[in-house]
Amino acid sequence: LSPARGFLEKVWPGVKKAVDWLIQAVDKDRDGIPAGHQWNTYDTAVSGANTFIGSQYLSALAAALRMAPLMNDGAAAARWRPVLEAGMKNQNQKLWNGEYYIQIPEANVARDYNNGCHADQLLGQWWAHMLDLGYLYPRERVRGALEAVMKHNFRRTFHGFKQDPRRYIPDDEGGLLICSWPHNDRPKSFMLYSDEVWTGIEYAAAGAMIFEGLIDQARQIVRMARSRYDGRLRPGLD
């Protein structure tokens, strides 16, 4: 935010406290993979290993590690670096299904997505790119996962598809679904709002695609989102 150090010096004690708390809250074994129930902006929790929360976790660690040397805090960096490195390795090995990153729920399940193709699966990678923190996962897999999001979640029309619990898109228009299950293995208790379209997630996914050179795909998503806000009244939506 500023070339001056005053603000960072002021907030650094709180930043350290927050990062240490986060590790203890979601990653007690410090393997870099989130565990337990993780509440999120879908008004529910997701359980166990996943890159939706996991990529945000890694980007937070990477950002903290960028700040620590500026504060000459070698002790904090020494605590956090092994966790970040473990997470980058372990999440990638455990959660890649050959096409995109999945979730492995715990026995105490929550509102999970399992083998679903989640539009937010690389949310933290998008953050990391914007902060110039580099890749959290192998570059080719990041690109491949975003190509899968485009392939499985983008619809040009919603004829024959039930948007649930809320309907935001007329049947003759399109958008990017929050989550899809290409292998027809949706869990019984799945992530709330999966069958909805949220403009904010469309822009986040498109932004991540731009960083990977998927310009045409990003343009398709943004063009579709913008076309839905042309001033025309669309009755019957939520």
Side-chain angles (χ1 to χ4, degrees):
L1 293 175
S2 168
R5 293 165 55 93
F7 178 71
L8 181 55
E9 290 171 349
K10 179 180 179 181
V11 302
W12 181 241
V15 170
K16 285 203 299 182
K17 186 176 182 180
V19 175
D20 287 333
W21 175 88
L22 178 62
I23 294 171
Q24 182 63 23
V26 304
D27 188 16
K28 287 182 174 63
D29 60 4
R30 301 175 70 88
D31 67 349
I33 301 177
H37 281 205
Q38 304 140 50
W39 286 88
N40 56 73
T41 51
Y42 294 96
D43 296 332
T44 55
V46 63
S47 75
N50 67 90
T51 61
F52 163 41
I53 301 298
S55 64
Q56 298 177 67
Y57 177 42
L58 296 182
S59 68
L61 291 171
L65 279 166
R66 183 67 60 86
M67 289 182 272
L70 298 174
M71 294 289 96
N72 298 313
D73 199 332
R79 288 198 305 275
W80 302 335
R81 185 171 290 108
V83 183
L84 173 62
E85 292 174 350
M88 292 171 67
K89 176 184 176 181
N90 293 334
Q91 288 189 33
N92 179 61
Q93 289 182 347
K94 188 172 185 177
L95 299 173
W96 180 252
N97 76 345
E99 187 182 12
Y100 54 85
Y101 288 103
I102 62 169
Q103 177 229 357
I104 302 176
E106 296 179 352
N108 181 20
V109 298
R111 296 297 294 267
D112 299 316
Y113 61 96
N114 296 42
N115 204 34
C117 184
H118 198 325
D120 263 346
Q121 65 183 270
L122 290 173
L123 181 58
Q125 180 63 78
W126 174 56
W127 288 0
H129 279 331
M130 289 190 289
L131 297 171
D132 195 26
L133 297 173
Y135 279 91
L136 306 173
Y137 311 102
R139 184 173 188 172
E140 66 276 7
R141 288 190 174 182
V142 170
R143 182 184 175 98
L146 291 170
E147 289 175 331
V149 169
M150 186 68 185
K151 175 182 177 181
H152 298 302
N153 296 25
F154 184 72
R155 297 182 64 94
R156 297 193 177 281
T157 72
F158 276 89
H159 291 295
F161 184 92
K162 182 182 179 182
Q163 300 171 61
D164 188 69
R166 297 166 300 192
R167 181 171 176 263
Y168 290 137
I169 315 297
D171 287 346
D172 61 347
E173 297 188 69
L176 189 75
L177 283 169
I178 287 173
C179 193
S180 66
W181 283 266
H183 304 285
N184 297 315
D185 51 4
R186 184 195 301 230
K188 290 183 178 180
S189 179
F190 60 89
M191 179 171 280
L192 188 62
Y193 310 134
S194 293
D195 293 331
E196 295 183 358
V197 174
W198 293 3
T199 310
I201 293 174
E202 290 180 302
Y203 275 93
M209 290 174 184
I210 289 171
F211 277 108
E212 304 310 320
L214 301 173
I215 307 300
D216 289 342
Q217 293 91 327
R219 282 176 170 162
Q220 289 180 58
I221 292 172
V222 172
R223 187 180 297 116
M224 184 66 78
R226 288 173 64 99
S227 73
R228 301 196 305 263
Y229 294 85
D230 59 2
R232 176 168 60 89
L233 183 63
R234 290 164 170 82
L237 303 180
D238 291 296

